Amino acid sequence: MTNETDTNAPAGAPNAPGAVAPGLSTSEIRTATASRHRLALGLLLAAVFVVFLNETVMSVAIPSIQNDLEVLPSQGQWLTTAFALTMAVVIPITGWLLQRLNTRPVFVAAMSLFVLGTLIAAVSPSFEVLLLGRVVQASGTAIMMPLMMTTILTVVPLNERGRFMGRISIVMSLAPAIGPTISGLLLQIMPWRGLFWVMLPIAAVVLLIGALRVPNVSEPRKAPLDVLSVFLSAIAFSGVVYGLSSIGEVAQGAALVQPWVPLVVGIVFLGLFITRQILLQKRDASLLDLRTFKSRTFSLSIAMLAIGMISLFGMIILLPSYIQYGLRLEPAVIGLTLLPGGLLMGLLGPLVGRLLDKFGPRPLVIPASILISGVFWALTLLTEETPIWVVVALHIGLSLGMAFMFTPLFTTGLGALPRHLYSHGSATVATIQQVAGAAGTAMFVAFFSIGLAAAGAVGEAKLASPSQIADGVHLAFTAGAIVTLLVIVLSFFIRREDAPEDAPAP
């Protein structure tokens, strides 16, 4: 581990947060440093849990918001779309931000934005103000995940990263698992604004504790901010994400513009952005350093993560519609159906991390990819008469496969990078997650709509018959199953690389 000191603490202030008192022995210094690192990681995990929980709680409240504020579904979906677009714009900037600033100020900035956005949403008198609150929330959320990933790569030895990544998987799995259930219960006793009022004090407490106790564990350096790169990335990633999201909206008859317009604009600007970064990284001045892709393991991990996210988001968007309209079950059943798999995925996190540290990624990733593909092929057999316990079992199987695939890929891919590329690698992973999530939603909704039309359905899914819904999900899950075959092929090429020369020594 590194032995950084708190740059915000006055010289000779042994009791300042993050400072190591003078006169300590080597073992005492190591113990104090390890304690600082555990504190930083614990507070970051708590913050990430809060922002993830906010997102899943919010998704259930959108119908209530639409009814209360009297907005159309095509307008209401902007609460989700605007959040994703903001994430896509802000995340590429975090690579520069994490190089330029220390751990604590970045944490305070991210949580302050999240708290401010939550407050705006809680008091919002109109849809427009609520949408502004969501954008401000997303600005803070976008910073938090890359900050946590970069911190872990900086302070955790290579041979212990699997265990710590396992803890992250607990947070990433439990929040989506319990979020819809909590939201459903709260909406029974309070209006939708109450969700934000419940979230606000929790986020404020995390911010207060973090501002006082998060130690500075990074090593800031002067990094120039290329304004042109910021502009190009904003147009590129927002265009791609919005274009992909619009494919699903077209299928539902709710798109404001044809998807190809923002997609073409986004792809053109993405090409310009990549060209700009290649030129700037020659003098270490790029906004998002693409030399991360020179690592074979990182590139393979990114490809597998992207396919996994496409499959996961596609399943998340389709299963609720199938359960509600295909099986004719109450909406409350949806949250209960997805709960066991989410809980299992979270509880398996520490075990997966320990197995990764001991055996490496390949023995975990290969069977996981086979299981994921097998579940998707089984999902193609769903009908309007499928028992709900079968759906629960398949979701548990998919969660099991994702648990044994995501943690090894995150850990192995980012761990293959040299230290100076940690922040860029974390930002790249988070950006790919946003784009892949939008692509997965777009692909599955488009194939679902094509399947509905082929079965003779007209209009929204709620107007279709159960058999037409089953035909629609059959086509969508077949497309997903074909895509997952590529994950199996790639899994045989994953291996753990030796730590680069400038990475922290175990």
Side-chain angles (χ1 to χ4, degrees):
M1 293 188 183
T2 54
N3 187 24
E4 303 89 358
T5 56
D6 191 328
T7 56
N8 293 337
N15 295 323
V20 178
L24 296 179
S25 66
T26 302
S27 61
E28 288 173 329
I29 291 176
R30 288 176 178 173
T31 301
T33 303
S35 177
R36 291 173 54 218
H37 294 168
R38 285 195 299 270
L39 177 61
L41 294 174
L43 290 170
L44 285 170
L45 282 170
V48 169
F49 181 81
V50 170
V51 298
F52 270 56
L53 185 65
N54 164 77
E55 184 60 15
T56 54
V57 165
M58 182 64 194
S59 63
V60 179
I62 289 179
S64 300
I65 293 171
Q66 292 173 176
N67 293 333
D68 183 50
L69 299 181
E70 299 180 350
V71 297
L72 298 173
S74 57
Q75 294 173 285
Q77 60 86 26
W78 270 97
L79 293 174
T80 301
T81 302
F83 196 94
L85 290 177
T86 305
M87 294 273 285
V89 170
V90 174
I91 286 174
I93 305 174
T94 61
W96 169 83
L97 191 66
L98 295 177
Q99 291 183 87
R100 189 67 182 84
L101 301 177
N102 221 320
T103 310
R104 188 188 305 151
V106 175
F107 177 91
V108 170
M111 283 306 297
S112 296
L113 285 170
F114 182 80
V115 169
L116 176 61
T118 304
L119 178 61
I120 293 173
V123 301
S124 56
S126 64
F127 179 78
E128 290 75 16
V129 177
L130 175 59
L131 190 61
L132 172 63
R134 290 288 288 164
V135 169
V136 177
Q137 273 189 330
S139 300
T141 302
I143 300 171
M144 193 56 66
M145 193 64 183
L147 172 62
M148 183 174 65
M149 288 291 190
T150 302
T151 302
I152 286 180
L153 293 171
T154 302
V155 305
V156 178
L158 185 63
N159 61 334
E160 296 180 10
R161 286 179 188 164
R163 179 163 56 90
F164 279 87
M165 288 294 186
R167 295 177 185 177
I168 294 178
S169 70
I170 296 177
V171 170
M172 296 178 64
S173 304
L174 286 184
I178 67 176
T181 304
I182 292 175
S183 180
L185 294 174
L186 291 177
L187 288 173
Q188 298 295 321
I189 59 175
M190 62 178 64
W192 59 266
R193 288 184 181 86
L195 298 178
F196 295 106
W197 284 116
V198 169
M199 191 67 62
L200 183 61
I202 299 173
V205 169
V206 173
L207 169 60
L208 178 61
I209 296 175
L212 296 174
R213 300 298 303 276
V214 165
N216 290 320
V217 296
S218 60
E219 298 176 352
R221 64 181 181 87
K222 290 184 178 180
L225 177 63
D226 184 62
V227 178
L228 179 57
S229 292
V230 175
F231 171 75
L232 293 175
S233 70
I235 302 298
F237 293 112
S238 62
V240 171
V241 170
Y242 180 61
L244 291 171
S245 301
S246 298
I247 294 175
E249 295 167 21
V250 164
Q252 297 174 340
L256 298 178
V257 298
Q258 290 298 314
W260 66 266
V261 177
L263 268 177
V264 169
V265 172
I267 291 172
V268 169
F269 274 80
L270 182 60
L272 295 174
F273 174 75
I274 292 173
T275 302
R276 178 72 175 171
Q277 302 319 294
I278 292 174
L279 294 175
L280 290 177
Q281 68 192 21
K282 294 178 180 179
R283 59 177 191 270
D284 290 327
S286 57
L287 179 69
L288 195 63
D289 201 316
L290 302 180
R291 284 176 292 188
T292 53
F293 289 99
K294 289 185 176 181
S295 167
R296 173 180 172 276
T297 297
F298 179 81
S299 299
L300 282 174
S301 298
I302 282 288
M304 293 184 66
L305 281 170
I307 298 172
M309 287 295 172
I310 289 173
S311 306
L312 180 61
F313 275 81
M315 182 274 298
I316 289 175
I317 200 70
L318 276 197
L319 270 189
S321 295
Y322 169 73
I323 294 171
Q324 186 171 355
Y325 303 122
L327 300 182
R328 296 299 193 212
L329 296 176
E330 294 296 323
V333 177
I334 297 173
L336 296 175
T337 300
L338 304 180
L339 183 61
L343 291 176
L344 176 65
M345 190 173 177
L347 294 174
L348 283 173
L351 173 63
V352 174
R354 287 194 296 269
L355 292 176
L356 175 62
D357 289 335
K358 185 175 182 180
F359 299 108
R362 193 176 298 175
L364 305 181
V365 171
I366 292 176
S369 61
I370 294 173
L371 176 60
I372 291 170
S373 185
V375 168
F376 266 91
W377 285 108
L379 287 170
T380 65
L381 304 177
L382 295 178
T383 69
E384 68 274 19
E385 298 177 353
T386 301
I388 188 62
W389 67 264
V390 173
V391 180
V392 174
L394 290 175
H395 183 257
I396 289 175
L398 183 65
S399 301
L400 183 65
M402 294 294 183
F404 278 87
M405 187 173 77
F406 281 162
T407 296
L409 291 179
F410 275 123
T411 309
T412 305
L414 291 171
L417 300 177
R419 177 191 289 272
H420 70 280
L421 292 180
Y422 283 168
S423 59
H424 292 284
S426 299
T428 300
V429 169
T431 303
I432 294 296
Q433 282 182 284
Q434 291 299 311
V435 175
T441 300
M443 184 185 84
F444 277 72
V445 169
F447 278 107
F448 177 56
S449 299
I450 293 172
L452 286 179
V458 179
E460 299 179 6
K462 63 183 179 181
L463 303 177
S465 67
S467 62
Q468 291 170 333
I469 294 291
D471 288 341
V473 297
H474 170 76
L475 181 61
F477 283 132
T478 298
I482 294 172
V483 170
T484 59
L485 293 176
L486 181 58
V487 180
I488 298 178
V489 175
L490 294 178
S491 66
F492 285 90
F493 297 94
I494 287 290
R495 62 182 178 84
R496 180 155 53 191
E497 290 185 5
D498 294 334
E501 291 182 2
D502 63 342

